[in-house]
Structures are given as C-alpha cells and as structure tokens.
Amino acid sequence: MTGSILIVDDDPVQRRLVEAALTKFGHTAIVTDSGNAGLDVLDGPNAREVSVVILDLVMPGLDGIGVLKAMRERAINIPVIVQTAQGGIETVVSAMRHGAFDFVVKPASPDRLQTAISNALKVEAVEDEMKRASRRRGGGHLTFKDMITRSPAMDRVIRLGQKAAVSNIPILIEGESGVGKELVARAIQGSGDRRSKPFVTVNCGAIPDNLVESILFGHEKGSFTGATEKHTGKFVEANSGTLFLDEIGDLPLDVQVKLLRAVQEGEVDPVGGRSTVKVDIRLISATHRNLLQQVKDGKFREDLFYRLNVYPIFVPPLRDRRDDIPYLVRHFMEKVAPADPRRRLAGISAPALAMLQAYDWPGNIRQLENAVFRASVLAEGDVLTEEEFPQIRAQVEGTVKLEVEPASAAAETIADVFSQADETVANATVPASSDNEAPARLQPRFGTLRALDERGNVRALADVELEMIKLAIDHYNGQMSEVARRLGIGRSTLYRKLKEYGIDPEAGRVDRLAS
C-alpha cells in the first residue's frame, strides 16, 4: 500500500471532491486548507507518510508557487500534482519550472487524478531504486573523465578544474541553478590528493538562519535551548577533506564573519565552546547569485568575497552548450534501465531530440534530467517521442521543425547514431572543438544515417561508422583535423580507420570516397 496523499487547497468543496476521489481509489488522504498548513505537514513527524502532494496554485497567503519554492529550498522531493482553474500554458510552465510533477485543470475527473497519482508513484518508485543502486555501487571517486560533455563551452571549466585539483586554493564556482556546480566540485575533489577523504556538502540556502552557525561550526551540549547533544559541525566533519558550501550567497552577515575567520585561520569556534578547534579543509563554494553585486548592495562581506573568490570557475548554462544535450539524454535514459528492468528503450526520435535542443532549459541539466527521467518511466513505446515531453513541446512548437524526411525516421533514434560512439561518450571530457557553434544549428542530422538495411535488419556497426566518417569529411570540407575533433577521435585514429576501409587518407574529400 502506498503512503498518504496530501491535499493542499483553500476551497472546502474542492477538498471534499478530491478526498472522495482518492478514497474511492483506495488512497489515504491528509487534508489541509492553506499553503502554510501543508508545509507544516511536510516539515512534521508524518512527512515520511506522504507519497504525493495535490496542490492548489491559487490560495490566499502562501500560494502554490510559494509552496513549491519552499519545498525546493528545504530539499523536499515528494512529487507534486498542481491543480488550477487557469489552464494556460504560462501557469503550467511556471509550476513545472518550480518542480511540479504534473498538473490537472479544475474540476479534474477522478480518473485523471488517479492517472496523475499513478504516474507520480511509478516515477517515485524507480527513483528510489536508482538511489539504492547508487548507494550499492558507492565508493568510486568522480573525476573530470566522468563528466558527460562534448561542448566547447565546457572546455575552460574542465581545464580550470583540473588545474585547481592539484592545489588547495579556495574555489568559487558560479553558475545558474542546475548547471552542475556540485558535480564540478566533486570532480575537483576526486582528481586531487584528498580524493579518499570526506566530501561534506552544505546547502547554505536551505538552513534556517538561527541554525546556520551551529550546523557549520558545531555546538556544545546545553549551549542553547534544544541543544541536548554535542554537535561537531560541518567544518569538523570535513577535516582533512573537502567542504562544499553551496549557495554561499545566502549566508547571513553575522555568520560570514565567523566563516572568514575559519577560512583565514583554519579554526572554528563552536557555539558555547570554550576553545577553538583546528581544521584542515579544502573549501569550495558555489552560488547562482552575482556575489560582486551582493557586496555592492551590502548583503555580502567584501573581505569574505575576495577570500573566497581566489579561483573563480563559471559553469555555463545548458542553453550555451546544446552540443551536450544528446549525450546527456542518453546518459539519463541509461540510468533508468537498471532501476526498472521493464524499461528497455531503444532511444529517442530525431524530432524529439531536435525539440530538446531547441528548448532553453531554464532549470538547466537538473531540469533536463527530470524531463528525460519522467519520459523514460512513463513512455508506452520503446522510443521517446515529442509526445513524452508535452510541456516542452508546447513551448518549442513553431520554433523548430519537428518532422524528419526519411520514411524510416521512427527507427532512426539517437541510440542508432550513438551505437558506434560508446568510446567517445565514455571519454567525453575532451570538447569537440574550441570554437562556439552557432545557436541556429539546432537540428541534428541524424536523419542522414540509415539504421536499417533494405530487409529491415539493423545495419552492421562498421557500415554505420564508415558512413558517419564520410558524412563528417563532407560536412567539414575535408579538413581532417576538424573531422577528427568532431568525431571525438584522434587524427591518427581517423587515418587508421580510413586505411582499414581501403580509403586513401590523402584524398580528403568525400566525393572521392563514394566508391
């Protein structure tokens, strides 16, 4: 039996209707009449019983968007189905951007509600299995070789990160929410001398102001009301390892003073303690805010800013590295398969991939992962299509051509194109080129490769590889260095492959390869 369903709605009639529908389908309901009351349940002792939240968007006081924001700040990852009488795309997009799983338009039929709940529970079950599998695998160290990227925009990030890994210099990672700042921090830690030491993360924006000092620096038993036990603090936990302070720009000013001392002197003062505690840590901070502007506005200490900003690394948003999207999509699809044996997806259609590459992804990689994860779990067929991404399609439609010309387009999935590129993806830390590709080139050219032969069988890998090489040589006008970079292989490897296929490497142009 699943957990309870939390209903958050200020309208008593709607509450009764939803509760009756849930009871009919065998669910247990917890009913609240405001956003604050709903958060109290999610913060309380019964929070673990809640499997899904059904949330009204328009409420007095704390509205639905406010509840979604609060849940994200507090790292509450329960799936949320929003209800709204305003079914416009802007309302839906806003809710989805703030973490909603699905939406229904009032008055929602019981069957529609049940479908939404079933989908949410299905996704949640697979996600839990993925977390358990990840814990079982644990113990490995993330390095820059594990990062899934083929984008020139990430070249600088990787080079800076690799240089930073060999020192203990304080690092400030900047970038929008969801771009992978913690991933970069873990790669730095996993590539340095402290790789086998603790990696302790703190989300400064998710800690109540009155507990920040205690959580960071620790406290003695009885030092304040509720301090029934001694707490060592995150700095001491990270001793000899790496401390990652996420959303450093949200730290209160009074705590910033003690943080400055800890960074400068390598020692912390526990709340209620009589003496300082020495610590040896590697400090990596991250923020989505403009800290320099925070300094000008008096919200962040200037001396702390310059102490943290010794070695800045800016992680670009996903919209500036669209080349990464095909590789990230494949990676996220593969993560679902081990957790749910029933999901054996062949890939994603070329039109769907073109649509994903045309979208701006305001939530960046985190949003892309959630979208692909949900689509992979809920897909009825063995190929992801535009139909599995309804919210994204609604925003992209009309801005990119979603049709493909070949008759066999349904079979020509990203899996077909990537079948010969496993080694490339596995070593995808080397960017494809050093120049920026024009944003207009969003339409992938997967339709130019045939996945099946005349009899409907999958073509041999060697045939597809040869055709890909020919295509690349033609596309880049015989510039073999560029061809090698774009294919993700060394130039010597390219010439070796040409020789294996009986092709004169010096010929260069694809018109000489026709035979």
Side-chain angles (χ1 to χ4, degrees):
M1 184 66 182
T2 61
S4 302
I5 312 294
L6 174 62
I7 302 170
V8 184
D9 198 321
D10 66 309
D11 186 338
V13 175
Q14 284 294 327
R15 289 199 302 269
R16 287 196 295 271
L17 288 173
V18 174
E19 184 178 12
L22 297 183
T23 303
K24 173 184 175 182
F25 289 107
H27 300 293
T28 302
I30 300 175
V31 183
T32 58
D33 60 2
S34 69
N36 286 317
L39 283 179
D40 288 342
V41 173
L42 296 175
D43 284 333
N46 296 325
R48 292 186 178 182
E49 299 178 7
V50 179
S51 296
V52 178
V53 178
I54 297 179
L55 174 68
D56 186 24
L57 278 185
V58 182
M59 295 182 290
L62 186 66
D63 63 6
I65 297 298
V67 172
L68 288 169
K69 289 180 179 179
M71 290 178 65
R72 185 165 59 183
E73 290 171 356
R74 302 177 194 187
I76 300 173
N77 297 317
I78 300 170
V80 178
I81 300 167
V82 297
Q83 286 197 111
T84 176
Q86 304 167 0
I89 187 62
E90 291 184 5
T91 305
V92 173
V93 169
S94 178
M96 293 298 177
R97 284 182 176 177
H98 286 93
F101 173 82
D102 201 351
F103 75 97
V104 295
V105 179
K106 292 182 178 180
S109 69
D111 289 340
R112 174 68 181 95
L113 270 177
Q114 175 61 9
T115 299
I117 292 170
S118 297
N119 288 342
L121 292 174
K122 187 189 300 182
V123 170
E124 189 73 0
V126 176
E127 192 172 53
D128 288 343
E129 178 55 34
M130 288 172 61
K131 290 177 181 177
R132 286 193 292 272
S134 179
R135 284 195 295 269
R136 289 193 295 267
R137 288 192 301 268
H141 303 298
L142 181 70
T143 69
F144 289 101
K145 291 183 179 180
D146 298 308
M147 295 182 66
I148 308 297
T149 178
R150 297 288 295 164
S151 172
M154 286 294 289
D155 184 24
R156 177 176 171 79
V157 174
I158 293 170
R159 284 190 287 105
L160 288 174
Q162 290 170 333
K163 291 179 180 178
V166 299
S167 72
N168 283 319
I169 191 171
I171 299 171
L172 177 63
I173 304 176
E174 301 173 288
E176 296 177 7
S177 295
V179 294
K181 297 188 290 293
E182 182 175 345
L183 187 70
V184 174
R186 288 186 179 275
I188 292 173
Q189 189 253 6
S191 303
D193 295 338
R194 298 177 186 252
R195 64 177 65 88
S196 59
K197 303 298 182 180
F199 183 90
V200 178
T201 65
V202 182
N203 187 338
C204 300
I207 308 174
D209 288 355
N210 61 328
L211 294 179
V212 173
E213 189 174 350
S214 169
I215 289 174
L216 287 180
F217 309 118
H219 65 253
E220 296 293 330
K221 180 179 179 180
S223 57
F224 56 86
T225 303
T228 57
E229 300 290 340
K230 179 179 178 179
H231 175 63
T232 57
K234 298 297 183 181
F235 269 82
V236 176
E237 286 182 32
N239 190 36
S240 78
T242 302
L243 178 63
F244 177 61
L245 298 180
D246 198 8
E247 300 306 344
I248 190 76
D250 293 338
L251 274 183
L253 282 168
D254 57 333
V255 179
Q256 292 177 26
V257 178
K258 295 193 72 173
L259 177 59
L260 179 62
R261 173 181 168 81
V263 176
Q264 287 179 329
E265 308 297 334
E267 57 186 32
V268 297
D269 295 309
V271 178
R274 297 182 179 180
S275 60
T276 60
V277 179
K278 281 285 186 179
V279 291
D280 171 26
I281 63 164
R282 168 62 179 282
L283 183 64
I284 303 179
S285 308
T287 181
H288 75 281
R289 301 184 185 277
N290 184 336
L291 282 193
L292 189 57
Q293 186 60 49
Q294 294 272 97
V295 171
K296 294 177 181 178
D297 295 340
K299 298 179 180 179
F300 201 84
R301 291 181 61 94
E302 184 175 13
D303 48 4
L304 179 60
F305 170 73
Y306 288 113
R307 176 62 66 173
L308 299 178
N309 195 42
V310 178
Y311 196 92
I313 298 177
F314 174 74
V315 183
L318 187 56
R319 62 182 172 275
D320 291 341
R321 42 198 265 224
R322 299 179 194 264
D323 291 346
D324 286 346
I325 290 177
Y327 298 91
L328 289 168
V329 168
R330 183 195 187 195
H331 174 67
F332 296 144
M333 289 173 66
E334 288 177 344
K335 282 178 66 177
V336 176
D340 187 356
R342 295 168 298 178
R343 304 311 311 161
R344 286 292 181 265
L345 294 171
I348 181 171
S349 69
L353 186 61
M355 179 183 70
L356 297 186
Q357 287 191 286
Y359 184 53
D360 276 344
W361 298 106
N364 293 293
I365 295 176
R366 185 183 298 123
Q367 184 187 5
L368 174 64
E369 179 177 15
N370 291 338
V372 174
F373 175 63
R374 170 185 165 145
S376 299
V377 174
L378 301 181
E380 297 295 333
D382 61 355
V383 174
L384 297 187
T385 69
E386 312 96 283
E387 301 301 324
E388 274 72 56
F389 304 92
Q391 290 81 25
I392 294 169
R393 181 173 186 172
Q395 297 174 75
V396 170
E397 213 159 21
T399 66
V400 63
K401 184 180 179 181
L402 299 182
E403 294 78 17
V404 290
E405 296 176 3
S408 58
E412 294 186 297
T413 66
I414 190 172
D416 301 322
V417 180
F418 279 159
S419 61
Q420 81 278 18
D422 286 333
E423 182 178 351
T424 300
V425 177
N427 299 285
T429 56
V430 182
S433 81
S434 58
D435 58 341
N436 292 321
E437 190 159 345
R441 295 183 60 185
L442 302 180
Q443 178 78 18
R445 299 185 59 185
F446 298 143
T448 60
L449 289 179
R450 289 183 299 105
L452 306 178
D453 61 21
E454 293 77 10
R455 297 183 179 181
N457 297 317
V458 174
R459 297 174 64 201
L461 186 59
D463 294 341
V464 178
E465 182 182 64
L466 175 59
E467 190 170 330
M468 189 68 157
I469 292 174
K470 289 181 178 181
L471 186 154
I473 294 175
D474 182 43
H475 187 69
Y476 295 107
N477 298 317
Q479 300 177 37
M480 305 305 278
S481 295
E482 183 69 2
V483 169
R485 282 197 295 271
R486 292 291 177 174
L487 291 175
I489 59 178
R491 184 166 176 168
S492 60
T493 302
L494 173 61
Y495 278 97
R496 176 176 56 79
K497 287 183 178 294
L498 290 175
K499 187 175 181 180
E500 289 174 355
Y501 289 120
I503 298 169
D504 180 11
E506 301 302 321
R509 294 289 296 163
V510 72
D511 54 342
R512 301 184 187 180
L513 300 176
S515 60

